[in-house]
Amino acid sequence: MTSVRNVRVPQRRIAETVAAELRELILDVEDYRLPTQEQLVKDFGVSYPSIREALRILETEGLVTVRRGNVGGADVHRPDETSAAYHLGLSLQAGKVTLNDLADGLRMLEPLCAAECAKRADRAEVVVPALTEAIDASVAFVAEGVEFTHTARDFHDLVVAFAPNATIRYAVGSYVALWSAQEEAWAEARTRHGQYPSQLEAEEAVKAHRRLVDEIAAGNADGAERLARAHLAATQALVLERYGDRIVNASAAMSRQTRHPGRRRL
């Protein structure tokens, strides 16, 4: 009869197990708050180094931010389209994907969401009022350059967010968030050089948004898709004229989230 050897479990494996359980809680529990390290040590019955390693794993995944020093602790971040956009952007940047390519992809995908909005039976009660509110909010900034770009992009976020299919919402929403980050970076750069497009062009964008809402309200899916595609091509051209051959910049997506936390409305 052979005896079972007492094998010591590596700290890294313990940390991965703890991280896996905490990950499930973060993803499954709305507004989950991470306990203190002291409490986690008690809850899991493991050492402080294992807990710290588990938190580092979650931090690299963007699920927590560890505060160090006298006010230490950890903040939880549930994944959304913007965080997905950052990781998507890393892949595109590593693959040397250009803004021209990203824009082409978005022109294929986002108009499909506009068409789906037009097919919703509750579009008059749910979709149209929210889109109209977003347009009205952007009107106040038509003469303010960068701020107009920020608020106008909210309209595009909403069009995708109202698509009924959850997979489409998250996938296309990530592309929209990534493009929005590139467009907002462009707007800031052009403003610094005194080259931001005229107020007239901002007003044309507002008109295009209102026409798109009219098509959605009428339930005209084909018309909404065509108009969305034409509007995207027109607005993207402003960015692509100067920057189309540039590689997608993943860090722009994270910067957008830092500047405008909680932009997603649904």
Side-chain angles (χ1 to χ4, degrees):
M1 182 176 178
T2 58
S3 61
V4 178
R5 288 192 304 128
N6 187 11
V7 180
R8 186 168 182 266
V9 180
Q11 179 183 312
R12 174 71 183 184
R13 189 178 302 171
I14 295 173
E16 288 171 348
T17 301
V18 173
E21 292 196 32
L22 291 175
R23 187 184 301 112
E24 289 297 319
L25 288 169
I26 291 170
L27 297 178
D28 291 346
V29 180
E30 192 76 27
D31 297 325
Y32 176 71
R33 296 177 65 86
L34 202 65
T36 63
Q37 289 191 27
E38 290 81 1
Q39 187 61 47
L40 289 172
V41 167
K42 293 178 183 178
D43 290 344
F44 287 96
V46 299
S47 66
Y48 279 94
S50 293
I51 292 298
R52 286 194 288 268
E53 178 63 21
L55 293 177
R56 277 194 289 269
I57 292 171
L58 296 174
E59 192 169 26
T60 60
E61 296 173 355
L63 294 176
V64 303
T65 298
V66 178
R67 301 190 308 273
R68 295 170 175 84
N70 294 332
V71 289
D75 297 321
V76 172
H77 310 291
R78 283 174 62 85
D80 59 13
E81 290 87 341
T82 301
S83 57
Y86 173 66
H87 292 287
L88 172 65
L90 290 175
S91 298
L92 297 183
Q93 187 170 340
K96 304 295 187 275
V97 174
T98 66
L99 291 186
N100 278 322
D101 193 272
L102 175 60
D104 285 344
L106 201 55
R107 285 197 303 275
M108 297 177 194
L109 298 171
E110 186 179 332
L112 298 177
C113 295
E116 291 302 309
C117 286
K119 296 176 184 178
R120 286 184 56 153
D122 62 352
R123 61 188 179 277
E125 296 78 26
V126 178
V127 181
V128 172
L131 293 178
T132 301
E133 181 183 351
I135 295 171
D136 292 342
S138 69
V139 169
F141 299 104
V142 291
E144 298 188 29
V146 173
E147 192 56 39
F148 174 76
T149 297
H150 293 331
T151 55
R153 290 308 306 171
D154 285 342
F155 177 85
H156 293 263
D157 293 342
L158 278 174
V159 168
V160 177
F162 279 121
N165 183 273
T167 299
I168 293 297
R169 285 200 305 271
Y170 281 95
V172 181
S174 298
Y175 285 101
V176 171
L178 184 57
W179 174 263
S180 293
Q182 315 302 309
E183 188 170 303
E184 291 178 359
W186 159 84
E188 292 170 1
R190 292 300 90 209
T191 298
R192 286 196 299 270
H193 291 86
Q195 298 173 343
Y196 188 87
S198 68
Q199 180 176 335
L200 179 61
E201 287 171 292
E203 292 171 348
E204 287 299 318
V206 170
K207 290 178 183 177
H209 287 176
R210 292 200 188 280
R211 289 196 298 271
L212 179 55
V213 171
D214 288 342
E215 296 290 345
I216 291 173
N220 186 355
D222 290 340
E225 183 174 344
R226 284 195 301 270
L227 186 55
R229 187 164 287 113
H231 171 57
L232 278 175
T235 56
Q236 287 174 347
L238 298 172
V239 180
L240 300 179
E241 180 182 13
R242 287 179 176 269
Y243 303 123
D245 292 331
R246 290 194 178 183
I247 304 301
V248 170
N249 180 3
S251 62
M254 193 58 67
S255 297
R256 184 183 192 238
Q257 176 68 1
T258 301
R259 293 192 306 270
H260 308 287
R263 291 175 71 97
R264 186 171 182 265
R265 306 185 189 192
L266 301 181

